[in-house]
mmCIF file of all heavy atoms in Angstrom:
data_model
loop_
_atom_site.group_PDB
_atom_site.id
_atom_site.type_symbol
_atom_site.label_atom_id
_atom_site.label_comp_id
_atom_site.label_asym_id
_atom_site.label_seq_id
_atom_site.Cartn_x
_atom_site.Cartn_y
_atom_site.Cartn_z
ATOM 1 N N ARG J 25 -161.103 132.614 118.841
ATOM 2 C CA ARG J 25 -162.414 132.763 119.597
ATOM 3 C C ARG J 25 -163.103 131.426 119.548
ATOM 4 O O ARG J 25 -162.769 130.541 118.743
ATOM 5 C CB ARG J 25 -163.249 133.830 119.013
ATOM 6 C CG ARG J 25 -163.710 133.565 117.590
ATOM 7 C CD ARG J 25 -164.453 134.727 116.984
ATOM 8 N NE ARG J 25 -163.519 135.793 116.647
ATOM 9 C CZ ARG J 25 -163.880 136.867 115.940
ATOM 10 N NH1 ARG J 25 -165.117 137.018 115.469
ATOM 11 N NH2 ARG J 25 -162.948 137.811 115.598
ATOM 12 N N PRO J 26 -164.137 131.192 120.344
ATOM 13 C CA PRO J 26 -164.921 129.941 120.300
ATOM 14 C C PRO J 26 -165.455 129.694 118.930
ATOM 15 O O PRO J 26 -165.855 130.668 118.230
ATOM 16 C CB PRO J 26 -166.038 130.174 121.320
ATOM 17 C CG PRO J 26 -165.433 131.200 122.232
ATOM 18 C CD PRO J 26 -164.581 132.070 121.453
ATOM 19 N N ALA J 27 -165.536 128.447 118.518
ATOM 20 C CA ALA J 27 -165.952 128.096 117.171
ATOM 21 C C ALA J 27 -167.415 128.485 117.013
ATOM 22 O O ALA J 27 -168.245 128.383 117.898
ATOM 23 C CB ALA J 27 -165.811 126.650 116.967
ATOM 24 N N GLU J 28 -167.711 129.010 115.766
ATOM 25 C CA GLU J 28 -169.050 129.364 115.408
ATOM 26 C C GLU J 28 -169.501 128.521 114.274
ATOM 27 O O GLU J 28 -168.742 127.712 113.715
ATOM 28 C CB GLU J 28 -169.112 130.876 114.956
ATOM 29 C CG GLU J 28 -168.546 131.806 116.024
ATOM 30 C CD GLU J 28 -168.276 133.162 115.432
ATOM 31 O OE1 GLU J 28 -168.811 133.441 114.243
ATOM 32 O OE2 GLU J 28 -167.544 133.976 116.029
ATOM 33 N N THR J 29 -170.761 128.576 113.895
ATOM 34 C CA THR J 29 -171.270 127.862 112.734
ATOM 35 C C THR J 29 -170.512 128.311 111.484
ATOM 36 O O THR J 29 -170.382 129.501 111.236
ATOM 37 C CB THR J 29 -172.747 128.073 112.518
ATOM 38 O OG1 THR J 29 -173.496 127.707 113.719
ATOM 39 C CG2 THR J 29 -173.276 127.329 111.309
ATOM 40 N N LEU J 30 -169.959 127.360 110.802
ATOM 41 C CA LEU J 30 -169.209 127.624 109.575
ATOM 42 C C LEU J 30 -168.071 128.678 109.855
ATOM 43 O O LEU J 30 -167.821 129.626 109.099
ATOM 44 C CB LEU J 30 -170.093 128.163 108.434
ATOM 45 C CG LEU J 30 -171.001 127.043 107.877
ATOM 46 C CD1 LEU J 30 -171.757 127.646 106.639
ATOM 47 C CD2 LEU J 30 -170.315 125.806 107.442
ATOM 48 N N SER J 31 -167.372 128.499 110.915
ATOM 49 C CA SER J 31 -166.227 129.240 111.265
ATOM 50 C C SER J 31 -164.953 128.626 110.741
ATOM 51 O O SER J 31 -164.763 127.368 110.884
ATOM 52 C CB SER J 31 -166.121 129.469 112.797
ATOM 53 O OG SER J 31 -164.927 130.162 113.120
ATOM 54 N N GLY J 32 -164.070 129.360 110.129
ATOM 55 C CA GLY J 32 -162.881 128.765 109.518
ATOM 56 C C GLY J 32 -161.671 129.613 109.643
ATOM 57 O O GLY J 32 -161.672 130.688 110.216
ATOM 58 N N TRP J 33 -160.561 129.074 109.096
ATOM 59 C CA TRP J 33 -159.298 129.739 109.122
ATOM 60 C C TRP J 33 -158.847 130.011 107.677
ATOM 61 O O TRP J 33 -159.211 129.256 106.786
ATOM 62 C CB TRP J 33 -158.216 128.934 109.754
ATOM 63 C CG TRP J 33 -158.392 128.454 111.144
ATOM 64 C CD1 TRP J 33 -159.298 129.000 112.075
ATOM 65 C CD2 TRP J 33 -157.688 127.383 111.816
ATOM 66 N NE1 TRP J 33 -159.129 128.319 113.255
ATOM 67 C CE2 TRP J 33 -158.155 127.349 113.172
ATOM 68 C CE3 TRP J 33 -156.701 126.564 111.412
ATOM 69 C CZ2 TRP J 33 -157.669 126.460 114.084
ATOM 70 C CZ3 TRP J 33 -156.166 125.585 112.383
ATOM 71 C CH2 TRP J 33 -156.687 125.574 113.703
ATOM 72 N N MET J 34 -158.128 131.081 107.541
ATOM 73 C CA MET J 34 -157.373 131.351 106.292
ATOM 74 C C MET J 34 -155.930 131.514 106.633
ATOM 75 O O MET J 34 -155.531 132.424 107.413
ATOM 76 C CB MET J 34 -157.899 132.621 105.606
ATOM 77 C CG MET J 34 -157.181 132.887 104.218
ATOM 78 S SD MET J 34 -158.084 134.021 103.151
ATOM 79 C CE MET J 34 -158.048 135.509 104.100
ATOM 80 N N LEU J 35 -155.066 130.560 106.140
ATOM 81 C CA LEU J 35 -153.653 130.521 106.589
ATOM 82 C C LEU J 35 -152.765 131.009 105.479
ATOM 83 O O LEU J 35 -152.825 130.610 104.345
ATOM 84 C CB LEU J 35 -153.347 129.106 106.984
ATOM 85 C CG LEU J 35 -154.135 128.513 108.090
ATOM 86 C CD1 LEU J 35 -153.694 127.019 108.381
ATOM 87 C CD2 LEU J 35 -154.031 129.308 109.385
ATOM 88 N N TYR J 36 -151.779 131.854 105.911
ATOM 89 C CA TYR J 36 -150.723 132.243 105.050
ATOM 90 C C TYR J 36 -149.399 131.811 105.655
ATOM 91 O O TYR J 36 -149.250 131.697 106.891
ATOM 92 C CB TYR J 36 -150.684 133.778 104.942
ATOM 93 C CG TYR J 36 -151.784 134.320 104.050
ATOM 94 C CD1 TYR J 36 -153.013 134.689 104.508
ATOM 95 C CD2 TYR J 36 -151.514 134.628 102.692
ATOM 96 C CE1 TYR J 36 -153.979 135.198 103.695
ATOM 97 C CE2 TYR J 36 -152.459 135.165 101.905
ATOM 98 C CZ TYR J 36 -153.733 135.509 102.384
ATOM 99 O OH TYR J 36 -154.687 136.023 101.538
ATOM 100 N N THR J 37 -148.379 131.702 104.851
ATOM 101 C CA THR J 37 -147.011 131.497 105.305
ATOM 102 C C THR J 37 -146.424 132.844 105.886
ATOM 103 O O THR J 37 -146.639 133.850 105.259
ATOM 104 C CB THR J 37 -146.121 130.928 104.220
ATOM 105 O OG1 THR J 37 -146.664 129.755 103.748
ATOM 106 C CG2 THR J 37 -144.705 130.591 104.743
ATOM 107 N N GLU J 38 -145.682 132.721 106.964
ATOM 108 C CA GLU J 38 -145.055 133.923 107.521
ATOM 109 C C GLU J 38 -144.196 134.619 106.468
ATOM 110 O O GLU J 38 -143.404 134.032 105.820
ATOM 111 C CB GLU J 38 -144.192 133.481 108.704
ATOM 112 C CG GLU J 38 -143.617 134.672 109.500
ATOM 113 C CD GLU J 38 -142.878 134.152 110.713
ATOM 114 O OE1 GLU J 38 -142.322 133.036 110.644
ATOM 115 O OE2 GLU J 38 -142.925 134.868 111.735
ATOM 116 N N GLY J 39 -144.388 135.876 106.307
ATOM 117 C CA GLY J 39 -143.637 136.720 105.396
ATOM 118 C C GLY J 39 -144.128 136.644 104.006
ATOM 119 O O GLY J 39 -143.431 137.229 103.111
ATOM 120 N N ASP J 40 -145.201 135.995 103.714
ATOM 121 C CA ASP J 40 -145.692 135.857 102.320
ATOM 122 C C ASP J 40 -146.126 137.179 101.778
ATOM 123 O O ASP J 40 -146.994 137.892 102.355
ATOM 124 C CB ASP J 40 -146.888 134.898 102.288
ATOM 125 C CG ASP J 40 -147.220 134.379 100.911
ATOM 126 O OD1 ASP J 40 -147.021 135.210 99.964
ATOM 127 O OD2 ASP J 40 -147.611 133.259 100.739
ATOM 128 N N SER J 41 -145.597 137.604 100.629
ATOM 129 C CA SER J 41 -145.872 138.911 100.089
ATOM 130 C C SER J 41 -147.284 139.006 99.512
ATOM 131 O O SER J 41 -147.797 140.082 99.295
ATOM 132 C CB SER J 41 -144.853 139.277 98.958
ATOM 133 O OG SER J 41 -144.971 138.255 97.907
ATOM 134 N N SER J 42 -147.912 137.848 99.262
ATOM 135 C CA SER J 42 -149.281 137.869 98.760
ATOM 136 C C SER J 42 -150.326 138.198 99.854
ATOM 137 O O SER J 42 -151.501 138.386 99.506
ATOM 138 C CB SER J 42 -149.618 136.560 98.065
ATOM 139 O OG SER J 42 -149.689 135.527 99.054
ATOM 140 N N ARG J 43 -149.849 138.195 101.093
ATOM 141 C CA ARG J 43 -150.829 138.430 102.142
ATOM 142 C C ARG J 43 -151.016 139.975 102.257
ATOM 143 O O ARG J 43 -150.107 140.690 102.605
ATOM 144 C CB ARG J 43 -150.286 137.898 103.477
ATOM 145 C CG ARG J 43 -151.256 137.952 104.637
ATOM 146 C CD ARG J 43 -150.718 137.252 105.864
ATOM 147 N NE ARG J 43 -149.774 138.079 106.609
ATOM 148 C CZ ARG J 43 -148.421 137.817 106.660
ATOM 149 N NH1 ARG J 43 -148.001 136.735 106.037
ATOM 150 N NH2 ARG J 43 -147.638 138.621 107.324
ATOM 151 N N ASN J 44 -152.239 140.418 101.928
ATOM 152 C CA ASN J 44 -152.488 141.869 101.946
ATOM 153 C C ASN J 44 -153.833 142.122 102.556
ATOM 154 O O ASN J 44 -154.734 141.359 102.416
ATOM 155 C CB ASN J 44 -152.329 142.529 100.628
ATOM 156 C CG ASN J 44 -153.370 142.041 99.637
ATOM 157 O OD1 ASN J 44 -154.509 142.533 99.665
ATOM 158 N ND2 ASN J 44 -153.043 141.205 98.706
ATOM 159 N N PRO J 45 -153.950 143.216 103.332
ATOM 160 C CA PRO J 45 -155.228 143.514 104.028
ATOM 161 C C PRO J 45 -156.455 143.566 103.109
ATOM 162 O O PRO J 45 -157.500 143.180 103.512
ATOM 163 C CB PRO J 45 -154.920 144.876 104.708
ATOM 164 C CG PRO J 45 -153.443 144.907 104.785
ATOM 165 C CD PRO J 45 -152.899 144.195 103.617
ATOM 166 N N HIS J 46 -156.254 144.154 101.907
ATOM 167 C CA HIS J 46 -157.437 144.368 101.021
ATOM 168 C C HIS J 46 -157.943 142.957 100.622
ATOM 169 O O HIS J 46 -159.234 142.760 100.664
ATOM 170 C CB HIS J 46 -157.044 145.143 99.815
ATOM 171 C CG HIS J 46 -158.105 145.232 98.777
ATOM 172 N ND1 HIS J 46 -159.254 145.929 98.962
ATOM 173 C CD2 HIS J 46 -158.229 144.647 97.541
ATOM 174 C CE1 HIS J 46 -160.060 145.846 97.924
ATOM 175 N NE2 HIS J 46 -159.446 145.088 97.023
ATOM 176 N N TYR J 47 -157.131 142.060 100.267
ATOM 177 C CA TYR J 47 -157.562 140.764 99.782
ATOM 178 C C TYR J 47 -158.207 139.969 100.908
ATOM 179 O O TYR J 47 -159.225 139.315 100.796
ATOM 180 C CB TYR J 47 -156.402 140.054 99.142
ATOM 181 C CG TYR J 47 -156.792 138.908 98.240
ATOM 182 C CD1 TYR J 47 -157.634 139.115 97.131
ATOM 183 C CD2 TYR J 47 -156.435 137.599 98.431
ATOM 184 C CE1 TYR J 47 -158.028 138.086 96.275
ATOM 185 C CE2 TYR J 47 -156.787 136.554 97.613
ATOM 186 C CZ TYR J 47 -157.557 136.767 96.533
ATOM 187 O OH TYR J 47 -157.957 135.745 95.728
ATOM 188 N N ILE J 48 -157.616 140.070 102.097
ATOM 189 C CA ILE J 48 -158.193 139.404 103.267
ATOM 190 C C ILE J 48 -159.514 139.939 103.595
ATOM 191 O O ILE J 48 -160.452 139.178 103.945
ATOM 192 C CB ILE J 48 -157.205 139.546 104.485
ATOM 193 C CG1 ILE J 48 -155.899 138.722 104.240
ATOM 194 C CG2 ILE J 48 -157.888 139.055 105.789
ATOM 195 C CD1 ILE J 48 -154.831 138.959 105.288
ATOM 196 N N ARG J 49 -159.690 141.242 103.483
ATOM 197 C CA ARG J 49 -160.957 141.904 103.735
ATOM 198 C C ARG J 49 -162.059 141.375 102.768
ATOM 199 O O ARG J 49 -163.221 141.175 103.101
ATOM 200 C CB ARG J 49 -160.821 143.402 103.657
ATOM 201 C CG ARG J 49 -162.119 144.140 104.106
ATOM 202 C CD ARG J 49 -162.446 143.746 105.553
ATOM 203 N NE ARG J 49 -163.831 144.346 105.924
ATOM 204 C CZ ARG J 49 -164.558 143.797 106.922
ATOM 205 N NH1 ARG J 49 -164.125 142.773 107.621
ATOM 206 N NH2 ARG J 49 -165.717 144.378 107.124
ATOM 207 N N LEU J 50 -161.639 141.137 101.502
ATOM 208 C CA LEU J 50 -162.602 140.580 100.537
ATOM 209 C C LEU J 50 -163.191 139.256 101.077
ATOM 210 O O LEU J 50 -164.408 139.020 100.958
ATOM 211 C CB LEU J 50 -161.907 140.361 99.198
ATOM 212 C CG LEU J 50 -161.630 141.592 98.327
ATOM 213 C CD1 LEU J 50 -160.923 141.180 97.066
ATOM 214 C CD2 LEU J 50 -162.946 142.320 97.970
ATOM 215 N N TYR J 51 -162.284 138.391 101.590
ATOM 216 C CA TYR J 51 -162.798 137.125 102.191
ATOM 217 C C TYR J 51 -163.637 137.338 103.374
ATOM 218 O O TYR J 51 -164.622 136.652 103.553
ATOM 219 C CB TYR J 51 -161.520 136.269 102.558
ATOM 220 C CG TYR J 51 -160.989 135.495 101.429
ATOM 221 C CD1 TYR J 51 -159.929 136.022 100.544
ATOM 222 C CD2 TYR J 51 -161.420 134.231 101.131
ATOM 223 C CE1 TYR J 51 -159.381 135.298 99.535
ATOM 224 C CE2 TYR J 51 -160.909 133.464 99.974
ATOM 225 C CZ TYR J 51 -159.918 134.091 99.236
ATOM 226 O OH TYR J 51 -159.410 133.371 98.212
ATOM 227 N N GLU J 52 -163.201 138.247 104.243
ATOM 228 C CA GLU J 52 -164.027 138.518 105.468
ATOM 229 C C GLU J 52 -165.422 138.963 105.092
ATOM 230 O O GLU J 52 -166.445 138.546 105.659
ATOM 231 C CB GLU J 52 -163.326 139.531 106.325
ATOM 232 C CG GLU J 52 -162.042 138.992 106.944
ATOM 233 C CD GLU J 52 -161.264 140.035 107.685
ATOM 234 O OE1 GLU J 52 -161.451 141.269 107.419
ATOM 235 O OE2 GLU J 52 -160.385 139.690 108.539
ATOM 236 N N GLU J 53 -165.513 139.947 104.145
ATOM 237 C CA GLU J 53 -166.814 140.427 103.790
ATOM 238 C C GLU J 53 -167.619 139.399 103.043
ATOM 239 O O GLU J 53 -168.872 139.353 103.315
ATOM 240 C CB GLU J 53 -166.606 141.632 102.862
ATOM 241 C CG GLU J 53 -166.016 142.846 103.583
ATOM 242 C CD GLU J 53 -165.651 144.016 102.620
ATOM 243 O OE1 GLU J 53 -165.670 143.793 101.434
ATOM 244 O OE2 GLU J 53 -165.322 145.119 103.115
ATOM 245 N N ALA J 54 -167.024 138.638 102.218
ATOM 246 C CA ALA J 54 -167.804 137.533 101.558
ATOM 247 C C ALA J 54 -168.336 136.524 102.595
ATOM 248 O O ALA J 54 -169.438 136.060 102.456
ATOM 249 C CB ALA J 54 -166.963 136.803 100.576
ATOM 250 N N CYS J 55 -167.524 136.163 103.596
ATOM 251 C CA CYS J 55 -168.004 135.251 104.653
ATOM 252 C C CYS J 55 -169.134 135.893 105.422
ATOM 253 O O CYS J 55 -170.146 135.188 105.766
ATOM 254 C CB CYS J 55 -166.836 134.939 105.565
ATOM 255 S SG CYS J 55 -165.622 133.783 104.862
ATOM 256 N N GLU J 56 -169.020 137.170 105.730
ATOM 257 C CA GLU J 56 -170.081 137.847 106.482
ATOM 258 C C GLU J 56 -171.449 137.773 105.744
ATOM 259 O O GLU J 56 -172.453 137.572 106.325
ATOM 260 C CB GLU J 56 -169.684 139.306 106.766
ATOM 261 C CG GLU J 56 -168.605 139.485 107.825
ATOM 262 C CD GLU J 56 -168.070 140.868 107.860
ATOM 263 O OE1 GLU J 56 -168.666 141.758 107.191
ATOM 264 O OE2 GLU J 56 -167.070 141.081 108.591
ATOM 265 N N ARG J 57 -171.354 137.938 104.461
ATOM 266 C CA ARG J 57 -172.585 137.926 103.666
ATOM 267 C C ARG J 57 -173.221 136.523 103.613
ATOM 268 O O ARG J 57 -174.429 136.403 103.448
ATOM 269 C CB ARG J 57 -172.357 138.372 102.189
ATOM 270 C CG ARG J 57 -172.017 139.867 101.990
ATOM 271 C CD ARG J 57 -172.019 140.233 100.562
ATOM 272 N NE ARG J 57 -170.902 139.742 99.874
ATOM 273 C CZ ARG J 57 -169.707 140.361 99.700
ATOM 274 N NH1 ARG J 57 -169.556 141.541 100.334
ATOM 275 N NH2 ARG J 57 -168.715 139.837 99.058
ATOM 276 N N CYS J 58 -172.359 135.498 103.875
ATOM 277 C CA CYS J 58 -172.886 134.145 103.832
ATOM 278 C C CYS J 58 -173.132 133.618 105.227
ATOM 279 O O CYS J 58 -173.436 132.440 105.475
ATOM 280 C CB CYS J 58 -171.870 133.218 103.185
ATOM 281 S SG CYS J 58 -171.719 133.422 101.435
ATOM 282 N N GLY J 59 -173.066 134.494 106.293
ATOM 283 C CA GLY J 59 -173.242 134.036 107.656
ATOM 284 C C GLY J 59 -172.129 133.161 108.188
ATOM 285 O O GLY J 59 -172.327 132.364 109.039
ATOM 286 N N MET J 60 -170.894 133.370 107.603
ATOM 287 C CA MET J 60 -169.694 132.592 108.033
ATOM 288 C C MET J 60 -168.699 133.572 108.665
ATOM 289 O O MET J 60 -168.919 134.763 108.607
ATOM 290 C CB MET J 60 -169.117 131.917 106.775
ATOM 291 C CG MET J 60 -170.021 130.949 106.055
ATOM 292 S SD MET J 60 -169.470 130.585 104.353
ATOM 293 C CE MET J 60 -167.881 129.815 104.707
ATOM 294 N N SER J 61 -167.618 132.974 109.177
ATOM 295 C CA SER J 61 -166.571 133.800 109.710
ATOM 296 C C SER J 61 -165.255 133.162 109.386
ATOM 297 O O SER J 61 -165.190 131.902 109.190
ATOM 298 C CB SER J 61 -166.658 134.016 111.245
ATOM 299 O OG SER J 61 -166.450 132.722 111.875
ATOM 300 N N VAL J 62 -164.207 133.958 109.111
ATOM 301 C CA VAL J 62 -162.878 133.457 108.802
ATOM 302 C C VAL J 62 -161.897 134.181 109.663
ATOM 303 O O VAL J 62 -161.910 135.407 109.797
ATOM 304 C CB VAL J 62 -162.573 133.511 107.294
ATOM 305 C CG1 VAL J 62 -162.584 134.987 106.875
ATOM 306 C CG2 VAL J 62 -161.357 132.817 106.933
ATOM 307 N N HIS J 63 -160.934 133.444 110.226
ATOM 308 C CA HIS J 63 -159.873 134.032 111.031
ATOM 309 C C HIS J 63 -158.524 133.807 110.402
ATOM 310 O O HIS J 63 -158.208 132.691 110.003
ATOM 311 C CB HIS J 63 -159.889 133.365 112.467
ATOM 312 C CG HIS J 63 -161.190 133.391 113.127
ATOM 313 N ND1 HIS J 63 -161.603 132.329 113.983
ATOM 314 C CD2 HIS J 63 -162.239 134.220 113.026
ATOM 315 C CE1 HIS J 63 -162.819 132.631 114.392
ATOM 316 N NE2 HIS J 63 -163.218 133.736 113.851
ATOM 317 N N CYS J 64 -157.809 134.868 110.176
ATOM 318 C CA CYS J 64 -156.501 134.796 109.501
ATOM 319 C C CYS J 64 -155.460 134.293 110.434
ATOM 320 O O CYS J 64 -155.403 134.671 111.627
ATOM 321 C CB CYS J 64 -156.134 136.137 108.984
ATOM 322 S SG CYS J 64 -154.698 136.184 107.809
ATOM 323 N N GLY J 65 -154.553 133.423 109.958
ATOM 324 C CA GLY J 65 -153.534 132.917 110.734
ATOM 325 C C GLY J 65 -152.210 132.821 109.939
ATOM 326 O O GLY J 65 -152.200 132.806 108.768
ATOM 327 N N ILE J 66 -151.100 132.731 110.755
ATOM 328 C CA ILE J 66 -149.749 132.632 110.142
ATOM 329 C C ILE J 66 -149.204 131.210 110.420
ATOM 330 O O ILE J 66 -149.263 130.703 111.473
ATOM 331 C CB ILE J 66 -148.827 133.654 110.775
ATOM 332 C CG1 ILE J 66 -149.378 135.071 110.601
ATOM 333 C CG2 ILE J 66 -147.467 133.571 110.128
ATOM 334 C CD1 ILE J 66 -149.708 135.457 109.177
ATOM 335 N N TYR J 67 -148.664 130.644 109.316
ATOM 336 C CA TYR J 67 -148.144 129.244 109.368
ATOM 337 C C TYR J 67 -146.619 129.289 109.205
ATOM 338 O O TYR J 67 -146.146 130.014 108.292
ATOM 339 C CB TYR J 67 -148.825 128.390 108.244
ATOM 340 C CG TYR J 67 -148.057 127.159 107.935
ATOM 341 C CD1 TYR J 67 -147.928 126.122 108.874
ATOM 342 C CD2 TYR J 67 -147.505 126.954 106.667
ATOM 343 C CE1 TYR J 67 -147.298 124.962 108.560
ATOM 344 C CE2 TYR J 67 -146.899 125.784 106.366
ATOM 345 C CZ TYR J 67 -146.765 124.756 107.273
ATOM 346 O OH TYR J 67 -146.149 123.631 106.982
ATOM 347 N N ARG J 68 -145.916 128.563 110.056
ATOM 348 C CA ARG J 68 -144.501 128.417 109.969
ATOM 349 C C ARG J 68 -144.111 127.048 109.576
ATOM 350 O O ARG J 68 -144.145 126.088 110.406
ATOM 351 C CB ARG J 68 -143.874 128.835 111.308
ATOM 352 C CG ARG J 68 -144.107 130.242 111.728
ATOM 353 C CD ARG J 68 -143.671 130.595 113.170
ATOM 354 N NE ARG J 68 -143.984 131.969 113.445
ATOM 355 C CZ ARG J 68 -145.194 132.411 113.893
ATOM 356 N NH1 ARG J 68 -146.129 131.517 114.051
ATOM 357 N NH2 ARG J 68 -145.384 133.641 114.177
ATOM 358 N N PRO J 69 -143.745 126.843 108.304
ATOM 359 C CA PRO J 69 -143.529 125.494 107.796
ATOM 360 C C PRO J 69 -142.251 124.799 108.401
ATOM 361 O O PRO J 69 -142.242 123.567 108.369
ATOM 362 C CB PRO J 69 -143.303 125.735 106.295
ATOM 363 C CG PRO J 69 -142.883 127.114 106.172
ATOM 364 C CD PRO J 69 -143.608 127.869 107.278
ATOM 365 N N SER J 70 -141.426 125.565 108.998
ATOM 366 C CA SER J 70 -140.171 124.903 109.581
ATOM 367 C C SER J 70 -140.533 123.851 110.620
ATOM 368 O O SER J 70 -139.835 122.849 110.799
ATOM 369 C CB SER J 70 -139.264 125.990 110.130
ATOM 370 O OG SER J 70 -139.912 126.710 111.197
ATOM 371 N N VAL J 71 -141.611 124.071 111.422
ATOM 372 C CA VAL J 71 -141.959 123.160 112.432
ATOM 373 C C VAL J 71 -142.412 121.826 111.859
ATOM 374 O O VAL J 71 -141.929 120.729 112.298
ATOM 375 C CB VAL J 71 -143.083 123.725 113.316
ATOM 376 C CG1 VAL J 71 -143.539 122.737 114.385
ATOM 377 C CG2 VAL J 71 -142.631 125.005 113.994
ATOM 378 N N LEU J 72 -143.244 121.851 110.831
ATOM 379 C CA LEU J 72 -143.725 120.637 110.179
ATOM 380 C C LEU J 72 -142.580 119.909 109.490
ATOM 381 O O LEU J 72 -142.440 118.670 109.522
ATOM 382 C CB LEU J 72 -144.828 120.956 109.217
ATOM 383 C CG LEU J 72 -145.442 119.775 108.418
ATOM 384 C CD1 LEU J 72 -146.001 118.719 109.406
ATOM 385 C CD2 LEU J 72 -146.607 120.247 107.537
#
């Protein structure tokens, strides 16, 4: 979405077992309390 004040990304590697909805939600809620936003994304290292 269009960039907002203190808008950021949280990136995980595709298929990473540590990526779980509960933990991502902790980040989203913490950002909301600080007036920030975070968008989750998937990274494919093979391209780099």
Side-chain angles (χ1 to χ4, degrees):
R25 65 187 73 170
E28 306 165 13
T29 302
L30 292 184
S31 173
W33 300 344
M34 182 162 64
L35 300 179
Y36 284 88
T37 302
E38 187 175 33
D40 195 325
S41 61
S42 68
R43 189 175 77 250
N44 66 78
H46 174 69
Y47 200 58
I48 291 171
R49 187 58 189 159
L50 286 177
Y51 276 90
E52 291 173 341
E53 291 173 349
C55 285
E56 289 171 7
R57 287 191 291 269
C58 291
M60 300 164 59
S61 65
V62 63
H63 310 147
C64 191
I66 304 302
Y67 164 64
R68 297 172 181 83
S70 58
V71 178
L72 181 55

